[in-house]
Amino acid sequence: MSDTAGVVEHLFRHSAGQITATLARSLGPARLDLAEEAVADAIEQALRTWPHHGVPDNARGWLFRAARNRAIDLLRREDSLRAKLPLLLEELEKPAGADDELTMMVLCCHPDLPVPAQVALTLKTVGGLGVHEIAAALLDKPATVAQRLVRAKRWLAGSAQPFALPAPVESRVASVLAVLYLLFNEGYQASSGEEAIRGELCGEAIRLARLVLADRRTDTPRARALLALMLLQASRLPARVDADGDLLLLPEQDRSRWNHAMIAEGTRLFAAACTGPELSAYHVEAAIALSHITPDTDWPRIVGLYDQLLTLRPSPVGRLNRAIALAMADGPAAGIAELERLRDEPRLAAYPLLPAALGALWLLADHPANAAHYYREALALPGSEPQHRFLRRRLSTCEPRPAP
């Protein structure tokens, strides 16, 4: 049963967005709720039947057919759609289109929607994230995210938007990339659950970013820079956790386990992204990721890159990362001073990496009592179970050992 549930979870992460987009193309964006309900029911049906009958050879095709059939059942129950049912059934028989997911992403990022609503709707519809996962990725409250989703779907239902790429589409690319960036980050460092990393989310973000590059209208330098960043970061995933699933910091990682093919592709893409005048935050972050790949890390250069990043995209998390780099360049006291300035930042109030970083720097400064205080504070905040194990392990190094 657990193996089957894992297969269904994998397929959901990799197929739900595709199936939802194809159904939304057939039914129209106004019926997005119906498409999502049909996909959810298909997933539930798989969880009920596959443990007893086995996973089908073409599991993805099975899910699509189950979702399509469920959509037809739901349509037949609506009096207002009965006259249109023959045309809708004909549409539902059409195979998935190569551009369906890209169109769905662009549609979710319509400029008439507030940016936070664009992000939440795309992460939910195409990325398959739940409300709590989206809230963690946005450093927001689940109730706020849920309200945004309701309003965004209500707007979509009433706007009569066609399911097609607009012309020009270039103006929507930045919003699509911002969503894929958040989707990748939620996989790279899971905010909750039993796993420290969620490779399937990283893989899904990379797959969707490739879709963006595959269309010449959306293949932009910043899109290439984002995919380069994802590949460079994902190359380290095999070494980010130990055999028990616990987090390993960069100096602790076995570099022989890094995916060097990903590093090579990311490096090539980064070079291709730098052929024009455009400089985006993704360019700078990719440059930082490249700097971490070399054995002798140039920390002063990384501090300078974070300064560039904060100019292009100011954020409290960016300031936190800069403070850590500053500590590595100029000593822990410099980093601690910067981190203390972030203590009043509202968006970091429930962000466990802030007190965890303070704990690490106080330990580096040889003040274990201070470090222990901050590690306990980090442990009191929400986080994944591997994050908590990591923090407890660090806390144990701060506490004095009893005399023999």
Side-chain angles (χ1 to χ4, degrees):
M1 177 65 185
S2 60
D3 290 346
T4 302
V7 171
V8 175
E9 170 71 11
H10 174 80
L11 283 169
F12 174 74
R13 292 300 183 190
H14 288 270
S15 304
Q18 295 172 304
I19 298 171
T20 301
T22 299
L23 292 178
R25 181 203 65 197
S26 302
L27 302 170
R31 304 318 310 268
L32 178 59
D33 271 341
L34 189 147
E36 288 187 318
E37 183 178 348
V39 173
D41 287 346
I43 295 292
E44 184 181 340
Q45 185 180 349
L47 285 170
R48 281 198 317 267
T49 59
W50 290 4
H52 305 290
H53 301 286
V55 178
D57 291 337
N58 181 6
R60 181 174 288 148
W62 188 100
L63 280 177
F64 176 75
R65 288 190 299 275
R68 182 190 60 198
N69 292 340
R70 180 58 178 155
I72 291 170
D73 288 341
L74 293 169
L75 287 170
R76 284 180 174 144
R77 295 179 184 181
E78 297 193 24
D79 293 339
S80 62
L81 292 174
R82 281 186 184 150
K84 301 178 182 178
L85 195 55
L87 181 60
L88 290 171
L89 291 176
E90 183 180 335
E91 284 293 323
L92 285 168
E93 291 298 324
K94 292 181 180 179
D99 293 336
D100 286 350
E101 284 182 283
L102 179 61
T103 303
M104 191 76 243
M105 285 191 287
V106 171
L107 186 63
C108 290
C109 293
H110 195 283
D112 285 353
L113 284 170
V115 172
Q118 295 177 25
V119 172
L121 186 62
T122 313
L123 287 175
K124 176 73 168 62
T125 304
V126 183
L129 292 190
V131 169
H132 286 272
E133 293 171 311
I134 297 169
L138 300 178
L139 300 180
D140 219 329
K141 296 177 180 177
T144 303
V145 170
Q147 289 170 359
R148 284 177 187 152
L149 285 169
V150 168
R151 288 195 292 265
K153 290 179 182 179
R154 187 182 297 137
W155 176 87
L156 200 59
S159 66
Q161 292 294 315
F163 193 88
L165 288 175
V169 72
E170 293 81 5
S171 61
R172 308 272 189 94
V173 175
S175 296
V176 171
L177 297 182
V179 172
L180 298 185
Y181 175 82
L182 290 168
L183 179 62
F184 181 88
N185 284 347
E186 177 59 24
Y188 190 74
Q189 186 159 285
S191 58
S192 61
E194 298 298 320
E195 297 179 350
I197 59 175
R198 301 173 68 182
E200 79 280 1
L201 293 186
C202 294
E204 186 67 0
I206 289 171
R207 184 185 70 81
L208 293 171
R210 291 191 191 281
L211 286 181
V212 174
L213 292 189
D215 192 303
R216 60 179 178 78
R217 293 167 294 178
T218 51
D219 179 8
T220 64
R222 70 174 56 199
R224 295 179 192 177
L226 176 59
L227 182 53
L229 169 63
M230 290 178 178
L231 290 168
L232 293 169
Q233 296 286 69
S235 71
R236 301 202 295 267
L237 287 177
R240 285 198 76 224
V241 294
D242 62 17
D244 297 322
D246 287 338
L247 284 166
L248 294 173
L249 299 178
L250 188 60
E252 302 169 324
Q253 294 175 16
D254 179 358
R255 290 174 178 251
S256 69
R257 299 187 62 209
W258 289 1
N259 187 321
H260 294 280
M262 274 190 172
I263 292 173
E265 184 185 1
T267 304
R268 288 194 302 270
L269 265 172
F270 181 62
C274 296
T275 55
E278 182 178 8
L279 176 66
S280 69
Y282 305 125
H283 285 84
V284 180
E285 286 202 67
I288 293 170
L290 272 172
S291 298
H292 284 305
I293 286 170
T294 58
D296 299 320
T297 306
D298 186 346
W299 288 108
R301 178 174 183 271
I302 290 176
V303 172
L305 287 170
Y306 273 117
D307 287 335
Q308 275 189 289
L309 179 62
L310 289 168
T311 300
L312 293 166
R313 188 181 64 213
S315 77
V317 174
R319 290 172 61 195
L320 186 153
N321 290 330
R322 182 193 179 276
I324 295 170
L326 183 66
M328 302 305 293
D330 295 346
I336 289 169
E338 289 294 316
L339 290 176
E340 287 291 350
R341 294 188 183 99
L342 290 172
R343 298 284 285 168
D344 294 328
E345 171 58 53
R347 295 184 66 192
L348 296 183
Y351 192 60
L353 294 188
L354 175 55
L358 279 162
L361 295 187
W362 277 114
L363 195 58
L364 190 62
D366 199 23
H367 287 274
N370 288 358
H373 167 80
Y374 286 111
Y375 281 136
R376 291 191 190 97
E377 183 179 320
L379 277 165
L381 295 173
S384 68
E385 182 53 34
Q387 281 179 339
H388 285 172
R389 287 200 303 269
F390 172 84
L391 291 167
R392 285 193 291 268
R393 196 166 66 244
R394 292 283 161 170
L395 177 59
S396 70
T397 67
C398 304
E399 294 169 341
R401 298 180 183 276

